[in-house]
Amino acid sequence: MGQPSRRLRHHPALRHLPDRPDPEVHLNIEQLAASDPLAPAWGWPHRFGGRAANVTAAPEYQATTTQLCGLFPFVAGSGSPTVGTPVGRHLLHGEVVCLDPLAWCRAGLITNPGMFVLGQPGTGKSTLIKRLVTGAVATGTIPIILGDTKPDYTDLVQHLGGQVIQIGRGLDRVNPLDSGPLGSALRKLNGTKAEALRAEVRGRRLSLLLALCTLVREDRITNAEEVVLGRVIDLLDERLQEEPTVPDVLSALEEGSTELWSAARARNEQAYRREVRDLVFALDLLCNGSLAGVFDGPTTTPLDLDAPAISVDISRIGAAGDKLLTAAMLCTWSYAYGTIDAAEALGGQRRSYFGVMDELWRALRGAPGLVEHADALTRLSRAKGMASIMITHSLADLDALPTEEDRAKARGFVDRSAITVLAGLPPRELTRVHEITPLTEPEQQLVTSWSAPETWQPGARHPGRGRYLIKTGERLGLPVQLTLVGAEHWLYDTDQRIRPDSGRQRQDFRSAR
């Protein structure tokens, strides 16, 4: 074949060819045109094919529609963010919407990587978070499920090759006083850095111990008791070579050394016993009461930050009541944040983390003052390179907290979150949300339309299933429809125990693979 036919001479990729080209170059020109009559965006990858190594982006101009429509009538909005994990398509114009608090923060779209998710049960809140968890693993971010109460995330984390820790009686234990990797980092440091880290370890131990005693007593710890507990922690740190445990603290209190008498401002043993009586009973309940077998020994399975994802499954202890569940969540949060701080102190590879705090309301309502403990842990998430994702059903859950001070601090979680995601919610709930995150009238009507099915017909799809409104500050919200693909149908399914055929569908999918 020499010259291309008259028809092919007008092909866009062939117009620049000379009249008498090299026959070898045009050996397959007829086949090329027949199989691919239109050139790819970068041209055909062969000689004289118009190949471009780089395609320059077209210039982009931003202006109001009033100013720009006279110059270019085909104006369009700024579009949906394409930074992060694809979470669905825009309900109005079908564009792909991406979401990732850390990626958005790095791109300057938001000021902090906090995210608060609100929605009725069954609208797909966990499904959205699981999609973000999957995307985080794909991009090198480590998701940490800080207390899986149902469990919703165990199958997904195992599927991704991550670590699942099961907390409960006869299972894994968590030592509230375990410094974890912080202790290892402390032994490798000296001088000012060592002193600062030692003070941090002491503060974490005391803070969590106070939170647990507050939970058991359902009342705040007195100033005198806090001073005594702090002195006990110092004494155990001096005496023991290994990590102290709650039984060690209880034994030291019951022993009542002269140092503890001095800390309690007690002149004799009888006065000291009177001062620490309630504190001793609170610690004894952690060791021998309804919480026995969970917090009364060394940590059995430490967090593995080399795993692609981590889930702390506390669903086994949910049947023991909210008190034990709340204690497990508090310990999980504290231990996970301590592990991340240790990784930073050791100066290893800098990593990013996703901290997922599901069923937030269950951890905060246990006793007065627990909100303050959670607030102290999460306030500096940005400095740690960690995104905090908090999930609850309603702002009314936060109103059920014991004191007005706790309720105000809990509302601060929503205020500080740069991203608010709304699933189906009734109008009365949106009125509350509007006080914190401004919503336009159409946005409120849209979210309300997702809150309840329109028909009593069995098998009808819930209108809010997989639909979310993503709000950031004063910007217009992004209404998104999430569609599951492949293994997501069973990995993200939280209704497996309700539908009798879910197990068979999962087995069919695995067999097909």
Side-chain angles (χ1 to χ4, degrees):
M1 296 174 59
Q3 289 279 31
S5 65
R6 182 182 300 274
R7 175 178 64 85
L8 289 176
R9 289 298 298 171
H10 297 285
H11 197 282
L14 305 178
R15 290 174 183 171
H16 66 287
L17 292 178
D19 292 336
R20 296 181 179 277
D22 187 348
E24 295 181 0
V25 175
H26 299 280
L27 186 61
N28 296 318
I29 205 70
E30 294 281 355
Q31 293 89 332
L32 173 65
S35 61
D36 192 6
L38 296 178
W42 287 5
W44 281 301
H46 63 81
R47 189 180 179 191
F48 302 123
R51 178 70 173 176
N54 179 50
V55 177
T56 304
E60 179 180 342
Y61 301 94
Q62 293 185 357
T64 65
T65 54
T66 302
Q67 295 172 323
L68 200 59
C69 64
L71 298 175
F72 187 74
F74 310 106
V75 294
S78 59
S80 305
T82 56
V83 179
T85 301
V87 293
R89 292 191 176 274
H90 200 289
L91 284 173
L92 300 182
H93 45 71
E95 280 188 304
V96 174
V97 178
C98 298
L99 176 62
D100 183 329
L102 287 171
W104 281 22
C105 193
R106 296 188 189 106
L109 298 177
I110 54 178
T111 57
N112 71 83
M115 179 171 158
F116 202 93
V117 182
L118 281 168
Q120 292 177 326
T123 53
K125 300 186 299 298
S126 297
T127 298
L128 174 65
I129 303 306
K130 289 177 182 179
R131 172 68 67 84
L132 295 180
V133 166
T134 304
V137 172
T139 56
T141 299
I142 302 176
I144 304 178
I145 313 303
L146 300 171
D148 190 356
T149 61
K150 295 177 182 176
D152 280 343
Y153 300 88
T154 297
D155 287 342
L156 175 61
V157 172
Q158 289 177 340
H159 182 78
L160 297 173
Q163 179 191 35
V164 177
I165 302 174
Q166 291 184 325
I167 304 296
R169 300 187 184 98
L171 301 172
D172 291 317
R173 280 198 306 258
V174 176
N175 178 13
L177 305 182
D178 189 354
S179 60
L182 278 177
S184 302
L186 184 58
R187 288 188 286 272
K188 297 179 181 179
L189 300 175
N190 52 42
T192 306
K193 290 186 178 180
E195 290 301 321
L197 189 56
R198 185 173 291 106
E200 178 68 19
V201 170
R202 180 187 186 277
R204 287 181 179 274
R205 285 173 172 168
L206 180 58
S207 177
L208 184 54
L209 199 56
L210 291 173
L212 290 175
C213 291
T214 298
L215 175 65
V216 170
R217 287 170 48 168
E218 300 182 0
D219 197 4
R220 295 180 180 273
I221 299 297
T222 65
N223 292 338
E225 290 171 334
E226 182 175 347
V227 171
V228 172
L229 274 180
R231 187 59 184 138
V232 171
I233 291 175
D234 293 338
L235 290 175
L236 293 176
D237 191 38
E238 296 170 2
R239 297 175 184 176
L240 302 179
Q241 297 299 321
E242 65 276 359
E243 300 285 348
T245 62
V246 175
D248 293 330
V249 176
L250 179 59
S251 298
L253 275 176
E254 291 181 325
E255 179 183 340
S257 63
T258 56
E259 291 92 338
L260 297 184
W261 289 16
S262 176
R265 305 299 192 270
R267 296 183 179 181
N268 51 48
E269 182 177 358
Q270 184 178 4
Y272 167 77
R273 300 293 177 191
R274 213 170 29 245
E275 192 68 47
V276 301
R277 179 178 181 275
D278 292 339
L279 190 58
V280 167
F281 276 116
L283 292 171
D284 200 10
L285 282 173
L286 288 174
C287 301
N288 302 308
S290 60
L291 308 183
V294 182
F295 309 111
D296 52 358
T299 299
T300 54
T301 305
L303 298 184
D304 180 13
L305 292 186
D306 291 327
I310 302 170
S311 176
V312 183
D313 180 358
I314 59 176
S315 60
R316 301 291 185 89
I317 61 179
D322 285 344
K323 186 173 293 187
L324 180 58
L325 193 66
T326 300
M329 295 180 78
L330 292 175
C331 291
T332 299
W333 294 356
S334 182
Y335 187 71
Y337 276 94
T339 302
I340 293 170
D341 285 344
E344 294 292 323
L346 289 172
Q349 180 182 359
R350 190 170 183 84
R351 296 173 175 174
S352 299
Y353 305 91
F354 252 39
V356 179
M357 308 169 80
D358 205 345
E359 298 289 339
L360 177 69
W361 59 276
R362 300 188 71 170
L364 302 182
R365 71 179 185 179
L370 295 183
V371 178
E372 186 174 353
H373 180 72
D375 181 64
L377 287 174
T378 59
R379 186 176 287 272
L380 300 178
S381 293
R382 178 181 177 182
K384 303 175 190 294
M386 184 173 186
S388 293
I389 303 179
M390 301 182 178
I391 310 166
T392 191
H393 299 142
S394 167
L395 291 180
D397 294 335
L398 306 181
D399 291 338
L401 298 180
T403 67
E404 178 57 37
E405 181 182 0
D406 287 343
R407 291 190 286 271
K409 288 183 178 179
R411 286 191 291 269
F413 291 149
V414 189
D415 287 333
R416 290 197 305 274
S417 297
I419 302 173
T420 302
V421 179
L422 306 176
L425 291 169
R428 63 180 181 279
E429 180 67 22
L430 290 176
T431 302
R432 299 283 308 281
V433 175
H434 181 65
E435 298 174 359
I436 302 174
T437 302
L439 299 170
T440 65
E441 188 65 30
E443 288 174 342
Q444 295 187 44
Q445 293 176 358
L446 182 64
V447 176
T448 300
S449 68
W450 300 338
S451 63
E454 299 175 352
T455 176
W456 287 97
Q457 185 69 28
R461 180 180 175 86
H462 193 287
R465 191 80 168 181
R467 294 183 175 183
Y468 318 94
L469 181 68
I470 304 173
K471 288 288 294 183
T472 57
E474 301 291 336
R475 296 188 184 102
L476 290 176
L478 300 171
V480 179
Q481 171 71 63
L482 188 150
T483 303
L484 301 179
V485 295
E488 290 181 324
H489 286 283
W490 63 268
L491 285 173
Y492 299 178
D493 187 4
T494 57
D495 298 332
Q496 298 173 13
R497 297 183 181 180
I498 299 177
R499 291 194 306 274
D501 62 337
S502 61
R504 179 180 56 79
Q505 291 175 355
R506 174 186 299 193
Q507 187 63 35
D508 292 344
F509 179 84
R510 286 177 169 173
S511 300
R513 295 183 65 195

